[in-house]
Amino acid sequence: MKETISARRVRELVGSLPAGPIHAGLADALTLLIGDGRIPLGVRLPSERELSAALGLSRTTITRAYASLRDSGYAHAAQGSGTFTAVPGGHERAHDRVLVAGGAGEDWIDLSCAADSAPAEVMAAYATALSELPAYLSRHGYFPSGLPVLQEAVAAGYAARGLPTDPDQIVITPGALTAAGVVVRALARRHGHALIESPTYPNVGEILRAADLQLHEAPLDGNGWDIAGIAETVKQVRPDFAYLIPDFQNPTGAVMTAAQRQQLGKVLRLRETRAIVDETHHALALDGQAMPPPFAAFDADAVTLGSMSKTHWGGLRIGWIRAPRPLLEKLVRARMSLDLGVPVVEQLAAAHLLRQGPVSPLQIERLRAQRNALIDLVGTHLPDWRFTPPAGGLMLWCELPHRGATALAAAAAASQVVLTPGPVFSPSGGLDSFVRLPWTRPVAELRAAVERIAAAWRRLEESGPLSAVRPRRAGAVF
Ligand SMILES: Cc1ncc(COP(=O)(O)O)c(C=O)c1O
């Protein structure tokens, strides 16, 4: 049976309508809710009569709003059974085949991407950006270090976290991954060395490797970082770089304490190892807790990477580098050998969003509910899996009772769930008894995914000893 959404729930989600023609405002609000997934695809909308009663609007208004949704492809009518949500061009249009290797049909659940859909503020920010655009059209439109209003908004964010920053210390890039690429391109010497956490975000590992850097692992466990162990490696190897994710580390969710930041910052400065600090997740504290100061507050030589992909939307493609002044020229030069800047409309929208705060409150609320649901689901359906419940970020790093994560990913794919096994996050292989589960899908999808994963895991356990399977690496992992 098709899922339905009640008129009361639609009323809660729609909230107050903007000024102007009411049917158009209602159609816009519903379009946004369907587009960002708060009203899932294929769901039956309330009847016109029910919605008119719930919203206190005339039946004609609802009829016109539904007609407008159908005209724009955000709904379709099924003879005699109601109006159902859709997206123009169908579900597959919203996917990139490089990312969803297995398939992008409606029944596939993609847990390889730890990034949520856009909260409502994003659409409003684009509307504001468009209204501000004319002021930029009379010039060439290239901003290789970034649009000044966005540099200011990013710098203000660091100042608010206790790290005074001038806007010209910020270089805007199309995301944190490109930011890492620019830093490595600007500063790496061939055959150099880099310290990297294990497990870690694999795409930056690839960047370091592609720059001919030899990688040295700093293992992370349930207790986070072993600072004394890292200090020993740094002393022996004297790496050029240390790539660190101190805030809700991807994939473990660990947070480095202020004392550890201070200790490690001191070690890195002493050995002239440049910290590349990836703060992509720093604003995703889900329990109202204060975060430790930024790593660069303890290590003035650190280069910091930031992003709006997880706090707002990956499709903005906005990230940045915060760098010590002496490095700026090199960084901008390296950047200009790759591209000449981020689109102006995106930068205007991003500045508008950041002026409202480091993260959308709606995003936090949604992520908290999804995290809590995922923790309950894994606890219920996979009781012998172990994890440390993270106080923020986007993912559960689950330890299985024995190895078999790669085989599980293959078995889950047979049930149309895409998940990423531990070895993908390990710079040197191993970690096959770990699986990363992001909580960045709606609760109903998380439930279906965990049920399918649990069934796949049971099938595997019943099938006897697990044979070695090569980890799947389909494009990027987020
Ligand atoms: C730690 C980390 N760094 C960087 C990125 C890439 O972010 P962006 O979309 O800003 O390039 C991700 C995305 O998953 C991430 O988890």
Side-chain angles (χ1 to χ4, degrees), residues 175-177 201 243 245 250 278 280-281 307 309-310 317 477-478:
L177 185 60
Y201 174 57
Y243 171 61
I245 315 173
N250 183 358
D278 187 334
T280 299
H281 299 154
S307 172
S309 292
K310 311 305 165 113
R317 302 311 306 135
V477 172
F478 296 79

Side-chain angles (χ1 to χ4, degrees), residues 223-298:
N223 300 316
W225 293 258
D226 165 15
I227 302 293
I230 297 177
E232 196 49 42
T233 309
V234 170
K235 186 173 157 197
Q236 281 170 19
V237 180
R238 299 188 74 127
D240 304 79
F241 302 109
Y243 171 61
L244 306 169
I245 315 173
D247 308 291
F248 305 121
Q249 203 258 0
N250 183 358
T252 61
V255 177
M256 197 184 282
T257 64
Q260 288 177 318
R261 290 171 200 234
Q262 186 168 35
Q263 253 177 302
L264 184 53
K266 201 165 152 197
V267 168
L268 297 181
R269 288 194 87 184
L270 181 69
R271 305 290 171 193
E272 297 181 0
T273 294
R274 174 88 57 193
I276 303 176
V277 185
D278 187 334
E279 293 189 338
T280 299
H281 299 154
H282 88 86
L284 298 176
L286 299 181
D287 297 326
Q289 74 274 35
M291 291 295 285
F295 192 92
F298 303 102

Side-chain angles (χ1 to χ4, degrees), residues 11 55 74 140 215 241 284 322 394 401 470 473:
R11 189 186 63 209
L55 296 179
Y74 283 90
H140 52 60
L215 304 188
F241 302 109
L284 298 176
R322 178 200 180 274
L394 299 167
R470 279 177 68 77
R473 231 4 266 280

